[in-house]
């Protein structure tokens, strides 16, 4: 696909404009009274990565850069797929696992962008417009490192420096349900999440490969036969 076509430029201005606006909105409206502020949450990691990916894609379409940043776009896609899957899975099981018995989600436009439209726009761009996942080995390394970095962040830094939320086992971890799990249960959850991310990576890789194959138009029409001299 022509990465500098006028239509794609228009689409990527919309994606970047929306994503950047929501990112700034979250930075300004989220309570920074907790250590780590909004960056305690994996959803905000996804939003930040989506904003940066949208900027990279816009630069490419505008001709301001020739770098495709495919690995970054691919890893961000896996991160966003994980955010979507884990959030809605846990939410439909019991919203109180996120918000507590007396808590409530953010306004609908906030929730639906963070856990719906925002990730969907980035995933669509990476898989169907950019054509990412061509360097799967490098993507796999980063996809494996990402959850390790996040769990070290929340377990070793965020939790010890925060006293809320409070669970039945511990306190300070950003998601309420994690504070209701002991160390072994959390370790199993982190392991299953990492495996899930690798599976999602393979699925996205397969989709991207299928899209690329579908764009290859086979030669049609009869071939000319050699003529005698």
């Amino acid at each position: 696909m022509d990465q500098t076509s006028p239509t794609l430029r228009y689409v990527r201005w919309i994606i970047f404009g929306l994503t950047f606006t929501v990112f700034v909105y979250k930075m300004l409206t989220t309570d920074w009274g907790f250590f780590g502020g909004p960056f305690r949450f994996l959803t905000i990691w996804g939003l930040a990565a989506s904003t940066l990916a949208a900027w990279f894609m816009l630069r490419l379409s505008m001709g301001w850069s020739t770098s495709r940043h495919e690995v970054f776009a691919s890893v961000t896609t896996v991160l966003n797929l994980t955010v979507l899957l884990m959030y809605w899975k846990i939410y439909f099981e019991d919203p109180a696992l996120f918000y507590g018995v007396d808590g409530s989600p953010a306004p609908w436009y906030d929730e639906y962008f963070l856990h719906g439209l925002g990730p969907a726009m980035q995933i669509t761009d990476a898989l169907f417009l950019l054509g990412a996942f061509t360097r799967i080995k490098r993507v796999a390394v980063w996809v494996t490192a990402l959850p390790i970095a996040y769990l070290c962040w929340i377990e070793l830094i965020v939790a010890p420096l925060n006293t809320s939320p409070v669970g039945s086992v511990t306190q300070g971890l950003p998601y309420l349900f994690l504070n209701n799990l002991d160390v072994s249960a959390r370790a199993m959850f982190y392991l299953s999440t990492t495996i899930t991310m690798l599976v999602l990576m393979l699925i996205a890789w397969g989709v991207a490969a299928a899209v690329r194959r579908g764009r290859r138009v086979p030669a049609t029409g009869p071939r000319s036969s050699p003529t005698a001299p």
Side-chain angles (χ1 to χ4, degrees):
M1 174 176 288
D2 181 6
Q3 296 296 310
T4 60
S5 70
T7 300
L8 195 51
R9 289 180 179 182
Y10 179 73
V11 169
R12 283 180 169 159
W13 269 114
I14 293 175
I15 294 174
F16 175 72
L18 287 173
T19 307
F20 179 74
T21 299
V22 174
F23 177 76
V24 172
Y25 167 76
K26 294 302 294 183
M27 294 303 101
L28 294 177
T29 60
T30 303
D31 184 4
W32 286 85
F34 296 95
F35 180 84
F39 290 99
R40 294 173 297 147
F41 302 104
L42 190 63
T43 300
I44 301 302
W45 281 37
L47 176 62
S50 293
T51 304
L52 189 55
W55 169 244
F56 288 152
M57 297 305 98
L58 179 61
R59 287 198 316 169
L60 179 63
S61 286
M62 296 301 296
W64 299 335
S65 172
T66 57
S67 179
R68 291 167 58 87
H69 292 283
E70 286 189 31
V71 173
F72 186 84
S74 301
V75 175
T76 302
T77 297
V78 177
L79 174 57
N80 279 325
L81 287 170
T82 304
V83 167
L84 290 176
L85 177 64
M86 301 303 293
Y87 176 82
W88 290 109
K89 177 180 180 293
I90 294 172
Y91 182 84
F92 284 124
E93 286 179 359
D94 184 1
L97 294 173
F98 279 130
Y99 307 109
V101 176
D102 301 323
S104 61
W108 65 269
Y109 52 84
D110 194 329
E111 291 291 335
Y112 288 160
F113 188 92
L114 290 177
H115 305 113
L117 179 61
M121 290 192 302
Q122 190 277 322
I123 293 167
T124 300
D125 191 341
L127 294 181
F128 300 101
L129 303 180
L130 178 67
F133 289 92
T134 60
R135 301 177 182 178
I136 191 62
K137 291 182 179 179
R138 290 182 61 187
V139 173
V141 170
W142 283 105
V143 167
T144 303
L146 181 60
I148 295 174
Y150 180 71
L151 71 89
C152 288
W153 161 245
I154 62 173
E155 288 281 349
L156 303 179
I157 301 176
V158 171
L161 295 176
N162 286 300
T163 58
S164 178
V166 178
S168 58
V169 175
T170 188
Q171 64 184 30
L173 292 166
Y175 295 104
L176 179 60
F177 73 93
L178 290 176
N179 296 283
N180 295 327
L181 304 176
D182 60 22
V183 174
S184 61
R186 293 202 305 276
M188 289 302 298
F189 177 77
Y190 297 146
L191 177 61
S192 66
T193 300
T194 303
I195 293 173
T196 298
M197 292 183 73
L198 291 171
V199 172
L200 291 172
M201 178 196 70
L202 293 175
I203 293 172
W205 177 40
V207 172
V211 170
R212 283 192 292 272
R213 284 196 300 269
R215 286 178 179 158
R216 294 178 189 145
V217 180
T220 58
R223 295 182 180 177
S224 59
S225 58
T227 58

